[in-house]
């Protein structure tokens, strides 16, 4: 049975969120035992090898891109690299559910960025939803409280980096092979964290660390692939709400693996954030349907 674009996009989004969250859990399990640059470099080597083999079999080891697409791919790669650093640094110092909850601001930030950079129109209802969502982020971060964790700002920076990644992905021409973009991103990130790790002492890794790094490599390869594919199928307004399944994964894995559970204020902030995002998606879908009906 052939899936519609929206159903395929929803499944890809859920698979992407699950892959990213499982990867985060595996990486966090090594916090304090292995330096971050070492983990990301070794994970990148394994991921690049797997993606390279897949790209070779698919004939996507090389692609002829326009100058515009090359610029977008480079911007996307830089944004992905920065997002990985800031997000995982925050993850090493915060509960996984808290970091993931902050990341749920991404759809609202993408909408806001589209207004400023692409001139897209956003009505007052969606703008209020965005502001409420950002208020939810403040409840999670709580910058003026004794519980404030400076690394929550790292998670917030990661949100803006991922927003830039997604916006640049959406602007890529459809003829650009997904696997080529995945390979370029993986190799570039591996090289970056390899050079960044030259100034730190590496530590020997046992069976546990090697197994976790190998598993993380598989999960991040899947996450990269799904995150690119999901931006290129289905309607964004339909697919995007399924991003919030990542928060459910983070809460479940945080509880099972790290015995972490968000406090009530964090849960309230996350609920406001998710509710605001869902309302914004609903309004966007409703307006899009109304415009299509008027055009008939």
């Amino acid at each position: 049975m052939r899936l519609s674009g929206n159903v395929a996009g929803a499944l890809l989004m859920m698979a992407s969120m699950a892959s990213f969250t499982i990867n985060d859990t595996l990486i966090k399990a090594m916090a304090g035992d292995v330096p971050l640059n070492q983990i990301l470099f070794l994970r990148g080597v394994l991921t690049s090898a797997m993606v390279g083999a897949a790209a070779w079999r698919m004939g996507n080891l090389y692609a002829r891109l326009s100058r515009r697409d090359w610029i977008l791919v480079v911007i996307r790669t830089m944004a992905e690299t920065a997002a990985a650093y800031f997000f995982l640094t925050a993850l090493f110092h915060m509960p996984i559910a808290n970091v993931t909850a902050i990341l749920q601001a991404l759809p609202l930030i993408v909408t806001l960025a589209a207004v400023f950079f692409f001139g897209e129109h956003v009505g007052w209802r969606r703008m209020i939803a965005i502001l409420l969502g950002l208020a939810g982020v403040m409840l999670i971060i709580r910058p003026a409280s004794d519980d404030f964790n400076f690394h929550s700002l790292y998670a917030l920076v990661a949100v803006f980096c991922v927003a830039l990644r997604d916006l640049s992905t959406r602007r890529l021409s459809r003829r650009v092979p997904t696997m080529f973009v995945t390979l370029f991103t993986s190799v570039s990130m591996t090289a970056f964290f390899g050079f960044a790790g030259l100034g730190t002492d590496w530590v020997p890794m046992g069976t546990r660390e090697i197994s976790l790094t190998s598993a993380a490599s598989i999960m991040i390869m899947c996450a990269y692939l799904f995150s690119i594919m999901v931006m290129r199928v289905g309607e964004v307004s339909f697919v995007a709400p399924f991003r919030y399944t990542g928060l459910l994964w983070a809460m479940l894995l945080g509880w099972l693996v790290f015995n972490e559970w968000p406090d009530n204020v964090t849960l309230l902030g996350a609920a406001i954030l998710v509710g605001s995002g869902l309302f914004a998606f609903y309004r966007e879908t409703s307006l899009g349907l109304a415009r299509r009906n008027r055009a008939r």
Side-chain angles (χ1 to χ4, degrees), residues 4-46:
S4 68
N6 282 344
V7 173
L11 292 175
L12 285 169
M13 178 64 84
M14 288 189 287
S16 174
M17 292 301 100
S19 300
F20 272 120
T21 310
I22 295 172
N23 165 78
D24 296 340
T25 304
L26 295 167
I27 296 296
K28 184 175 175 62
M30 291 184 280
D33 299 326
V34 183
L36 179 59
N37 287 331
Q38 179 179 344
I39 294 173
L40 292 178
F41 174 74
L42 294 176
R43 185 190 71 175
V45 169
L46 295 174

Side-chain angles (χ1 to χ4, degrees), residues 186-290:
S186 182
V187 171
S188 300
M189 289 180 63
T190 301
F192 175 84
F193 288 112
F195 281 114
L198 292 177
T200 59
D201 294 330
W202 282 29
V203 301
M205 300 173 65
T207 303
R208 172 182 177 274
E209 288 76 22
I210 293 174
S211 299
L212 290 173
T213 302
S214 300
S217 301
I218 296 172
M219 298 314 302
I220 200 64
M221 181 188 73
C222 295
Y224 284 157
L225 187 60
F226 295 147
S227 67
I228 295 174
M229 293 172 65
V230 77
M231 288 295 162
R232 308 177 80 175
V233 298
E235 300 175 18
V236 174
S237 59
F238 179 87
V239 171
F242 291 92
R243 183 185 298 276
Y244 295 120
T245 58
L247 181 56
L248 300 178
W249 277 103
M251 293 173 65
L252 177 62
L253 291 173
W255 176 57
L256 291 175
V257 179
F258 306 111
N259 195 30
E260 300 171 346
W261 189 257
D263 59 30
N264 291 335
V265 177
T266 299
L267 289 174
L268 175 61
I272 293 174
L273 184 54
V274 172
S276 300
L278 291 175
F279 176 79
F281 291 135
Y282 166 75
R283 284 295 301 170
E284 183 176 350
T285 304
S286 300
L287 292 173
L289 182 61

